[in-house]
Amino acid sequence: MSENVVQLHKGTSPSAVTTLTVVPDPAPTAPVPLWVRSGRAIRTVVTHETTRTTARAVARHTLYVAGGARIAAKRTWDGRTASRYERMFRAAEAAGNHEVAAEWEERGQHFREARHRRRMDLLHSPLDAAKGAAVTAGMGIGSLVALGIVMAIATKDVTQVVTPLMATIEFINLLITIVQVVWGPALAIGPFLALLALWAVGSKQQAAPAWALPANVRDSEGEPITPSIVVKALRDLGVPALRNAIKEMGDAGASMLGPIRIAGCGVEVDVTLPSGVSTIEVQNRRRKLAENLTRHEHEVFITIPQAARTVRLWVADSGALDEPIGPSPLVTDETMTADYAKGRAPWGQDLRGDAAALSLYQRHLLITGLSNQGKTVALRSLALWLALDKSVQFLLGDLKGVGDWAMFDGIATTLIQGPTDEHVIQVTEMVEGAVSEMNRRLMAPPGTVFPALIVLVDEAQVAFMCPVKDEEGRFYGGAKANSRYFMAVRKIHNQGRAVNVLMWQGTQDPTDQNLPKLVREGAHTRASLALGTESQARMALGDKAVDGGAAPNLLRPGLDQGTLVVASSGIDIPKGQSSITVRTHYVDDDAAEAIIDRAKALRDGVTTLTVIERGEDRDPLADIANVVGDAPRVRTKDVLTRLATLNQKAYGGWSFLDLKRALDDAGAEPYKSDGVMVVSRDRLTRALANREADGSASADR
């Protein structure tokens, strides 16, 4: 440590001197050895990107020559031997196509016979060539001498006889001189020209390892799907039996592939797997197959067609599935109407770009998926279309309660909105009212046609998980024989279809607790948005659909919003498949309001109940007036349905005779209009007014 000395001048107080901190001198750093510095410099140079790019370029162009030589040798060998015919014969035989195999065997035999004849001809060709050369030379010399004689006669100069012959000799001598001059450089340049030709062949075929290829080739996103790319992707899938079978095939696996067809925003190809390879082995390697095809996992779909030992690959154009589809026809066509029995709801597009339309006729519906994936919009789109059929009635329970279904006020007979236990109780009683209506319809004479009654519950998992009991100790939620909501849904699933009482449910994140097995299996149309696991996919769509390739658990949450995997007989599914993927149209709230306004214009007017009343003391006449609302007249069977929905205990068991007795007593008798019995709003108003007047008069007395 070096000493730090502070000298005080005369007259300077020691306290006036600033304290100095003594800092030790830094320890001397040992010099870095030369060999260490050299090693670091070498490592920097070796690992530099420019060095690596240069090394790859040198290796690539060198390997192009080797690959070109291999390709040229193979082409030469194929051209001079019967190996091409042998390959095609073995490929056809492996594929089980014995007729084609026999044809290639016959072609190979013809090739061998022709080759044998050519080789036998070579034994006699030297003598024949010598004879031919002698004859040609003799005739040529004779012709030249004859030409010289003619020239000598014409010029009267006998020396002209040999002029043509000497000119020919001099020309031949010139050719020999040219060959002598060119021969040396040709021998020197020839090998380089041969290498250049081999390099050109290898470069064109990209005959180099992937690590040596240029970056734009290694990372070629979205390159066109060709047979060679598909076969190579399957070969590198990691299935030993498949890899070995492709190597043994004479055509390198080309016979496995069907035609590559353009299908919407991608291509489709059927792959017949060789013996010993299961379709499940390919399905379980979807991500690796997609990467081998230079695609993302969500851009490759694997399904099982009808043919045995076959997988159907649909490969999207790179980035095509991230592009939005067009608006719904419900929005663009303001003249559109619906037909419950014969029509199909425009729901979206399948992966081929074709319109995906769903028939709703006598089909219970279940849509599930993770939260915030577009379930409510997808379900609402179907209800919006069906609302354009004025004969269809709705009972609607929204157990989320944020206004997604508020526009159905004036369309739905009942609209319950809210997530509380009280709302679950009201929705349960609404569904039980639909059961009563179903039972009433089942008692009608055979052949009676009833309008569709759609019982729609969104966020139904809230109902199944409700812990509240009624006064008799029965749970509103749950999945037991005394669970009220569960049993009401089961009853509609069992018998409602026959009389057009249909159950539609939307749930999220399905489990056995919030979506019981009997309920999910009772739906005819099952659709799923993105899910978390394969077990949830099986709950949503069933084992058959998942075993056939349906994989909503592979959809990307947040990115594939509105994309559904659908299993239903109501939608066109390619032959042999058990499900189809649909990208649904997005209909926002404003567009939904406009569609509902069109639906209201088609109807006479519906009074929507937003609260289902409970209690023992009822006023039947007031309740009838309440459910009739502002409509001039309402059919008696519709009045019975609305009364049962209003109060299941009071009116669930009412028949037409009960309704007629209550109206007759009040002086508001039902009557026939257009052949059906109806209840008049005016008669109800007069009856209520008369009753009030009578009550006032009695009070005055």
Side-chain angles (χ1 to χ4, degrees):
M1 180 186 302
S2 60
E3 296 182 358
N4 294 273
V5 180
V6 178
Q7 185 177 1
L8 298 178
H9 297 282
K10 290 182 178 180
T12 304
S13 172
S15 61
V17 179
T18 303
T19 303
L20 298 178
T21 302
V22 179
V23 180
D25 294 337
T29 304
V32 180
L34 178 61
W35 65 271
V36 174
R37 294 198 302 270
S38 302
R40 291 174 179 172
I42 293 173
R43 185 177 61 182
T44 301
V45 171
V46 170
T47 58
H48 196 273
E49 184 61 29
T50 302
T51 305
R52 297 170 65 181
T53 303
T54 304
R56 278 199 301 266
V58 172
R60 178 171 66 251
H61 293 292
T62 302
L63 293 170
Y64 278 166
V65 176
R70 185 181 68 253
I71 295 171
K74 188 175 184 301
R75 290 175 179 175
T76 303
W77 178 258
D78 287 345
R80 299 188 64 83
T81 65
S83 60
R84 178 187 292 110
Y85 301 96
E86 290 291 337
R87 282 201 308 272
M88 301 306 295
F89 168 74
R90 287 197 300 270
E93 191 176 39
N97 198 337
H98 299 293
E99 294 181 1
V100 176
E103 181 181 351
W104 280 109
E105 185 179 23
E106 184 179 357
R107 290 184 181 183
Q109 186 62 32
H110 290 329
F111 172 82
R112 294 186 185 93
E113 292 175 357
R115 183 180 60 185
H116 177 71
R117 287 195 299 270
R118 290 194 301 271
R119 290 176 177 176
M120 294 303 296
D121 292 341
L122 288 176
L123 298 176
H124 306 286
S125 59
L127 181 59
D128 295 338
K131 290 180 179 179
V135 171
T136 303
M139 293 179 63
I141 293 173
S143 299
L144 293 173
V145 171
L147 179 59
I149 293 172
V150 172
M151 292 174 62
I153 294 173
T155 59
K156 297 180 181 180
D157 184 3
V158 71
T159 60
Q160 294 294 325
V161 174
V162 296
T163 298
L165 187 59
M166 294 304 297
T168 302
I169 293 172
E170 290 176 359
F171 177 73
I172 294 173
N173 184 55
L174 177 62
L175 292 178
I176 293 172
T177 303
I178 293 173
V179 170
Q180 289 175 342
V181 172
V182 175
W183 184 253
L187 288 178
I189 298 175
F192 294 101
L193 294 177
L195 290 176
L196 182 62
L198 295 177
W199 176 88
V201 173
S203 175
K204 184 176 181 180
Q205 299 293 326
Q206 297 290 330
W211 60 266
L213 294 175
N216 62 339
V217 176
R218 291 197 313 273
D219 304 328
S220 54
E221 285 276 329
E223 59 182 337
I225 300 300
T226 62
S228 60
I229 288 177
V230 176
V231 172
K232 187 175 183 298
L234 293 169
R235 186 195 66 194
D236 298 337
L237 203 54
V239 182
L242 180 59
R243 181 179 63 251
N244 295 334
I246 291 175
K247 288 181 178 179
E248 293 174 0
M249 290 181 182
D251 60 350
S255 60
M256 296 193 307
L257 306 184
I260 296 181
R261 304 176 295 274
I262 295 177
C265 57
V267 296
E268 187 179 73
V269 59
D270 287 351
V271 180
T272 303
L273 300 176
S275 178
V277 181
S278 171
T279 56
I280 193 66
E281 293 182 277
V282 178
Q283 284 184 295
N284 290 341
R285 291 169 171 82
R286 178 187 176 192
R287 174 175 294 180
K288 189 170 185 179
L289 178 62
E291 292 171 350
N292 290 348
L293 293 169
T294 65
R295 295 294 192 274
H296 296 293
E297 183 178 12
H298 72 278
E299 294 176 328
V300 174
F301 288 82
I302 306 172
T303 54
I304 309 299
Q306 194 171 18
R309 230 174 55 231
T310 302
V311 293
R312 177 168 294 161
L313 307 180
W314 185 86
V315 185
D317 298 335
S318 185
L321 294 184
D322 296 326
E323 297 293 330
I325 64 173
S328 171
L330 287 171
V331 177
T332 58
D333 185 1
E334 296 185 356
T335 63
M336 174 177 284
T337 57
D339 185 340
Y340 160 73
K342 300 179 181 178
R344 287 175 176 254
W347 211 8
Q349 294 180 0
D350 62 16
L351 296 178
R352 295 168 179 80
D354 299 329
L358 180 67
S359 172
L360 304 173
Y361 179 65
Q362 293 188 343
R363 289 179 175 88
H364 302 302
L365 175 67
L366 172 65
I367 299 180
T368 187
L370 297 178
S371 177
N372 196 32
Q373 298 305 308
K375 167 182 55 63
T376 296
V377 172
L379 183 60
R380 190 176 67 182
S381 296
L382 299 177
L384 288 172
W385 176 79
L386 203 53
L388 296 174
D389 183 340
K390 63 181 181 179
S391 68
V392 177
Q393 304 168 12
F394 289 92
L395 302 178
L396 206 155
D398 174 17
L399 292 177
K400 183 189 295 181
V402 295
D404 290 333
W405 297 89
M407 68 284 300
F408 276 80
D409 191 352
I411 293 291
T413 305
T414 301
L415 177 59
I416 308 298
Q417 300 181 89
T420 66
D421 291 340
E422 179 63 25
H423 292 102
V424 172
I425 294 172
Q426 294 188 20
V427 166
T428 301
E429 294 179 350
M430 178 190 77
V431 178
E432 290 174 340
V435 173
S436 299
E437 169 63 13
M438 176 190 72
N439 292 333
R440 187 188 68 80
R441 293 183 178 190
L442 290 171
M443 298 300 293
T448 304
V449 179
F450 297 97
L453 174 61
I454 306 300
V455 186
L456 192 156
V457 179
D458 195 12
E459 305 296 343
Q461 76 279 354
V462 177
F464 286 113
M465 300 300 290
C466 180
V468 178
K469 294 181 180 180
D470 64 11
E471 62 275 9
E472 298 178 3
R474 296 181 300 166
F475 284 101
Y476 284 95
K480 297 181 179 179
N482 63 345
S483 300
R484 291 180 60 177
Y485 180 80
F486 169 75
M487 291 305 299
V489 171
R490 287 292 301 139
K491 290 175 182 177
I492 294 177
H493 277 176
N494 289 338
Q495 295 180 300
R497 175 178 176 273
V499 289
N500 287 327
V501 177
L502 303 178
M503 192 75 210
W504 290 12
Q505 295 183 97
T507 69
Q508 67 177 0
D509 202 9
T511 65
D512 283 328
Q513 289 71 39
N514 65 24
L515 186 59
K517 178 180 173 65
L518 292 177
V519 169
R520 60 183 186 250
E521 291 187 351
H524 303 100
T525 295
R526 300 167 71 172
S528 175
L529 296 119
L531 289 173
T533 64
E534 182 180 324
S535 62
Q536 286 185 316
R538 293 184 180 275
M539 291 180 190
L541 300 176
D543 291 336
K544 180 180 178 181
V546 175
D547 291 339
N553 53 302
L554 296 181
L555 295 173
R556 302 167 298 167
L559 297 177
D560 290 325
Q561 287 182 326
T563 299
L564 287 161
V565 182
V566 184
S568 172
S569 61
I571 194 170
D572 292 333
I573 297 177
K575 188 176 181 181
Q577 295 180 203
S578 56
S579 65
I580 188 171
T581 301
V582 177
R583 304 172 68 198
T584 58
H585 296 293
Y586 178 72
V587 181
D588 60 24
D589 291 347
D590 292 338
E593 292 278 3
I595 296 169
I596 286 297
D597 289 341
R598 286 157 40 199
K600 289 178 179 178
L602 298 174
R603 299 168 182 253
D604 294 333
V606 176
T607 301
T608 299
L609 303 178
T610 56
V611 176
I612 298 179
E613 300 178 4
R614 297 186 299 279
E616 298 300 328
D617 297 331
R618 306 300 308 176
D619 182 350
L621 187 61
D623 287 341
I624 294 171
N626 183 20
V627 299
V628 168
D630 296 330
R633 65 187 66 86
V634 177
R635 290 183 294 183
T636 53
K637 61 180 181 180
D638 292 341
V639 172
L640 287 170
T641 301
R642 298 177 186 181
L643 286 173
T645 303
L646 179 65
N647 191 291
Q648 170 66 20
K649 286 187 176 181
Y651 303 116
W654 269 36
S655 66
F656 172 73
L657 292 178
D658 297 318
L659 176 64
K660 186 175 184 302
R661 187 180 303 112
L663 292 172
D664 289 346
D665 292 343
E669 300 85 353
Y671 64 95
K672 275 193 175 184
S673 175
D674 295 330
V676 296
M677 295 298 293
V678 297
V679 177
S680 170
R681 180 189 62 188
D682 294 338
R683 292 187 180 186
L684 286 170
T685 303
R686 285 196 302 270
L688 287 171
N690 293 336
R691 189 177 68 175
E692 291 177 2
D694 293 342
S696 299
S698 299
D700 292 339
R701 288 195 298 270

